[in-house]
Amino acid sequence: MSRSPSFSPKTESNTNVDFESVQRWIVAFCIIRFDLEQGQLIEECYPPGCLTPEEELDVAFSSFPDSVSQHHNRSSIHDCMFFFRVQRRGSFHGEEVSSGEKVPKRKNSNEKGRDSKYLYGFVFNRQRHDERLKRGGEQKSVVILSHSPYSSLFKPLLQIMGPLYFDIGRKALDCIAASVSTWASPLPGQLMELPIGNATLKVNLPPVHSLSFDGEVSIEESASSMAPLLPTNQSIPYGLFHDSDVFGIFKGILLQVWLLWELLLVGEPILVIAPTPPQCCEAVASLVSLIAPLFVSVDFRPYFTIHDPYFAHLNSLQEGDTFPPMVLGVTNLFFLKSLRSIPNIVSVGSPAPNSARLPFSSRASTGRISGRPEGFNFPQLNLKKFSPSNLINAVKLRRDGPLCLMTEHKEAVWSGYVPITKPDTSILNRLVDAGLSPRVEESMSVVNNEILRRHFLELTTNFLAPFGPYFRANTPSVGSSPFVDPPPLPAFDADEFLVSLSTRGPGKFLSKRMKSNWLDLYRRFMKGHNFKPWFQRKRAVAEQEQYRLWRQARLNADIQEFINKSSELEIVETFNAIERHLLAEMQQGVDHSKAACLKLKGDLQAVFNVLPKDMQHLLLMNPDRATLLQ
């Protein structure tokens, strides 16, 4: 059949799957069938009991293209892959499952990178046309559900799992689950080698600063910068969906990519329309990846349908109502009429030609996908010239408006937003025209992706750089006491920031790429949906880093040297400060705090010994303090 040549299932029975280990990565595997009479039906949810009835409906409706393509020959098989993002909702009515299988408890996703508010569904959809079958064909989807947007992992995993399921049936779920249960916990921002059958997936997970935030700063995040230096290794991700094909999906509207970057930066709502689910997913993922390393706070839906429960709210918005900040990827042209209040519309991709099977990469074990789902065959674009006729066509498209897509699909952007960022012609001139050879086109697309991704990473990093002083952790100066509380981070005032920035200027990089009203972009950004969550998270990271630096300084401090040069009043203040830090360490009760407690107890005793006798007696009258000094 269509099993990946780099993978073969193990022959032994996999009966002891550790569901708790599986759910570090995956919520569930679902097999969903489209019945022409009953609609979408979940045939299998593995492990059972992971979804509420409402979530089962959302997943089922999101796992199929809006309509079955009629362009395929009879007796043909058509595969495609895409992904969606839906909100978790509903509640469980009971914990018992009739099958008697062990059901893992639903978690609140405390692990880093897991978002308890949303489910990501990665779909392998197969449409099979056969006159011998009832009603001439069937349609079925294999779905991987996860709390984590690990597209660089789940895409190649789906390339293995999808064909394997259609080859050997339910055994494929047992086989894949057994492999996943052996994986270590996710390490965001790192390269991981994950065994799957006799193959190995080598994947770079997105960094922790791009994943969901629960208010608690992880060690990994506090140890790394959220506005990094420009990378020397392009394979290292600096945000979500680093594997998306930015050039491939946007090469028909390249001059508009800077506008799209700015729209997402300031949190403007965007409707992305494409002929197929794979194309609209790729476009939304590419948009989100453009503003790395900025944490994306706007809601994004790579594949959105009218069955999503949130559609009713969007459809009820009247003219003049503010559309919520979100990015919607759709294929159903009905949205053009129902969501008239959305101010920015992007049309990408090309209608799918007649096509057979989804090609599967022999390199699937590396985590890179060379074969693409149907719908990614974009027309060639001459990057050397932008002719007057192209300009005339663009004016005509703007005049006709997005409803012209009802009669013919065209790649275009409709927006009333006036951008401040100018297209960088030096970047456009560096892009390589692939020519007609598919092999050359694929390799050149990789080169062009790296050029675009590096440029927008540099653009975003330079734009965020002026906020840097507000996230700068203070370190104890030489000769000062590390036992006192560190000074607070600089207070942020938007008006003062803008005045100061206006005086300094935007810097050489931005001044070449923005109009004279560049300061307005900062105003828009600070009023937008992305700023506050990003700023608060950066502050939390800076405060955590500052705490770590001062704690380490206390542990390295020579208390005797400090006592020798301190006045009696400073010694008393140091005693109180050490006592406060010691109590805080004792409350943590973790292994790394034990050594700190021993060090601080020794320091507390040393300071106590040099205090006047009457003060020592007074301090020992407190029984809790006396216990610390034993």
Side-chain angles (χ1 to χ4, degrees):
M1 294 284 290
S2 52
R3 188 187 307 166
S4 170
S6 63
F7 175 84
S8 63
K10 296 181 180 179
T11 56
E12 68 270 15
S13 176
N14 297 303
T15 56
N16 298 319
V17 176
D18 183 359
F19 288 139
E20 294 291 333
S21 297
V22 170
Q23 288 202 314
R24 292 182 299 199
W25 293 89
I26 291 168
V27 173
F29 300 131
C30 291
I31 307 300
I32 307 172
R33 176 170 58 89
F34 181 78
D35 187 280
L36 292 174
E37 296 177 350
Q38 302 180 61
Q40 293 87 341
L41 299 176
I42 295 184
E43 290 186 341
E44 188 86 41
C45 186
Y46 180 95
C50 295
L51 303 177
T52 66
E54 295 90 343
E55 290 169 344
E56 288 184 352
L57 281 175
D58 294 344
V59 169
F61 280 120
S62 300
S63 297
F64 292 93
D66 270 339
S67 61
V68 179
S69 174
Q70 300 300 319
H71 300 294
H72 306 293
N73 296 325
R74 292 294 182 179
S75 301
S76 69
I77 293 178
H78 170 60
D79 296 335
C80 72
M81 284 170 43
F82 57 93
F83 75 103
F84 60 84
R85 182 179 189 245
V86 294
Q87 284 187 312
R88 301 218 70 168
R89 65 191 185 106
S91 59
F92 292 102
H93 299 297
E95 296 295 329
E96 297 297 325
V97 175
S98 59
S99 65
E101 296 187 53
K102 180 182 177 183
V103 180
K105 294 181 180 179
R106 183 166 176 174
K107 300 178 180 180
N108 289 324
S109 306
N110 292 324
E111 294 179 36
K112 296 302 166 188
R114 296 180 55 170
D115 188 347
S116 61
K117 294 181 180 179
Y118 292 94
L119 274 178
Y120 294 86
F122 295 83
V123 182
F124 182 100
N125 173 258
R126 172 163 291 182
Q127 300 174 14
R128 185 157 72 101
H129 298 264
D130 193 332
E131 293 180 351
R132 295 168 297 179
L133 296 174
K134 182 180 179 182
R135 293 184 178 267
E138 67 176 2
Q139 186 177 182
K140 187 175 284 191
S141 290
V142 179
V143 184
I144 298 174
L145 296 175
S146 177
H147 285 122
S148 306
Y150 297 155
S151 59
S152 59
L153 165 64
F154 294 128
K155 284 182 181 179
L157 180 60
L158 202 56
Q159 282 189 319
I160 294 172
M161 183 178 174
L164 187 66
Y165 172 79
F166 288 107
D167 190 349
I168 65 175
R170 191 190 187 282
K171 292 180 182 178
L173 307 185
D174 295 316
C175 179
I176 299 295
S179 292
V180 173
S181 67
T182 66
W183 295 355
S185 295
L187 298 174
Q190 297 191 28
L191 174 67
M192 298 193 71
E193 297 189 3
L194 306 171
I196 186 78
N198 67 338
T200 300
L201 295 175
K202 296 181 180 180
V203 295
N204 283 290
L205 298 184
V208 67
H209 73 251
S210 67
L211 303 172
S212 61
F213 183 58
D214 57 8
E216 181 183 348
V217 179
S218 68
I219 296 175
E220 295 88 352
E221 187 165 0
S222 62
S224 63
S225 171
M226 287 173 62
L229 298 175
L230 292 177
T232 54
N233 185 352
Q234 284 291 320
S235 66
I236 299 175
Y238 282 82
L240 295 181
F241 310 124
H242 183 78
D243 56 324
S244 62
D245 188 2
V246 177
F247 173 76
I249 196 66
F250 290 136
K251 67 181 181 181
I253 52 169
L254 277 176
L255 280 172
Q256 306 293 334
V257 177
W258 282 264
L259 165 63
L260 300 180
W261 171 84
E262 194 170 318
L263 289 174
L264 195 59
L265 182 79
V266 302
E268 280 277 315
I270 304 173
L271 179 67
V272 177
I273 298 181
T276 65
Q279 291 174 331
C280 73
C281 289
E282 195 76 5
V284 172
S286 296
L287 276 177
V288 171
S289 73
L290 279 182
I291 63 172
L294 180 66
F295 174 63
V296 179
S297 296
V298 298
D299 187 7
F300 60 90
R301 306 296 182 91
Y303 178 55
F304 189 77
T305 72
I306 60 174
H307 302 289
D308 192 289
Y310 198 54
F311 171 70
H313 167 69
L314 298 179
N315 194 38
S316 67
L317 295 175
Q318 303 297 317
E319 189 173 347
D321 291 344
T322 301
F323 203 92
M326 60 192 313
V327 182
L328 299 178
V330 303
T331 60
N332 192 337
L333 296 176
F334 171 73
F335 285 102
L336 288 173
K337 295 182 177 180
S338 62
L339 303 183
R340 289 180 178 270
S341 61
I342 196 164
N344 308 289
I345 297 177
V346 182
S347 174
V348 295
S350 57
N354 292 348
S355 138
R357 303 295 297 274
L358 164 67
F360 288 94
S361 168
S362 61
R363 294 182 296 152
S365 61
T366 66
R368 296 180 64 87
I369 305 175
S370 59
R372 294 197 190 117
E374 181 268 324
F376 278 83
N377 299 317
F378 299 104
Q380 294 297 321
L381 176 72
N382 187 345
L383 298 174
K384 304 301 180 184
K385 288 184 179 179
F386 293 96
S387 64
S389 62
N390 289 342
L391 181 60
I392 294 173
N393 290 335
V395 173
K396 185 176 183 298
L397 274 175
R398 183 174 181 85
R399 184 191 63 208
D400 293 344
L403 287 178
C404 70
L405 297 174
M406 302 293 289
T407 55
E408 180 185 4
H409 183 79
K410 301 173 181 178
E411 294 186 290
V413 177
W414 291 272
S415 174
Y417 182 93
V418 180
I420 294 172
T421 312
K422 298 179 290 187
D424 193 321
T425 53
S426 65
I427 294 297
L428 292 172
N429 290 333
R430 287 174 57 196
L431 298 178
V432 182
D433 194 351
L436 298 178
S437 167
R439 177 172 293 185
V440 173
E441 181 182 2
E442 182 180 342
S443 60
M444 290 302 98
S445 184
V446 172
V447 173
N448 291 337
N449 268 321
E450 290 187 357
I451 292 172
L452 288 171
R453 201 170 293 286
R454 183 179 180 87
H455 167 73
F456 283 102
L457 176 62
E458 190 173 5
L459 184 62
T460 309
T461 302
N462 276 275
F463 178 80
L464 298 177
F467 296 97
Y470 298 97
F471 314 131
R472 193 167 296 143
N474 298 291
T475 56
S477 56
V478 178
S480 64
S481 170
F483 298 102
V484 299
D485 292 330
L489 297 178
F492 179 78
D493 180 273
D495 293 333
E496 291 179 3
F497 169 79
L498 291 172
V499 170
S500 174
L501 186 58
S502 176
T503 303
R504 299 197 311 270
K508 185 177 180 180
F509 184 88
L510 293 182
S511 62
K512 290 182 177 180
R513 293 164 176 85
M514 291 189 178
K515 300 175 183 176
S516 58
N517 60 335
W518 57 269
L519 204 60
D520 288 340
L521 184 55
Y522 282 94
R523 291 191 180 96
R524 296 174 188 176
F525 174 60
M526 289 188 290
K527 292 178 180 178
H529 198 68
N530 285 320
F531 173 71
K532 188 175 180 180
W534 169 79
F535 188 86
Q536 290 177 341
R537 184 170 185 168
K538 285 278 289 181
R539 294 278 282 194
V541 170
E543 288 167 354
Q544 180 75 12
E545 178 65 9
Q546 182 166 275
Y547 167 80
R548 187 191 67 79
L549 292 171
W550 282 70
R551 179 178 182 271
Q552 192 60 46
R554 288 192 291 271
L555 299 183
N556 295 336
D558 184 342
I559 191 64
Q560 207 59 51
E561 180 181 334
F562 183 75
I563 289 173
N564 293 337
K565 60 181 182 181
S566 299
S567 64
E568 183 175 324
L569 180 60
E570 290 173 332
I571 291 175
V572 172
E573 291 175 346
T574 300
F575 180 91
N576 293 329
I578 294 175
E579 181 184 34
R580 187 172 64 254
H581 294 308
L582 176 56
L583 291 173
E585 292 283 353
M586 292 172 65
Q587 287 179 353
Q588 292 187 22
V590 292
D591 290 339
H592 72 269
S593 290
K594 293 180 179 178
C597 288
L598 287 175
K599 169 67 166 61
L600 291 175
K601 276 189 175 183
D603 291 348
L604 189 70
Q605 187 67 55
V607 175
F608 177 80
N609 291 338
V610 300
L611 291 173
K613 295 296 182 182
D614 56 339
M615 186 171 291
Q616 290 181 358
H617 179 72
L618 186 63
L619 292 172
L620 291 174
M621 291 178 67
N622 184 318
D624 294 333
R625 185 178 291 120
T627 302
L628 294 177
L629 291 167
Q630 286 180 355

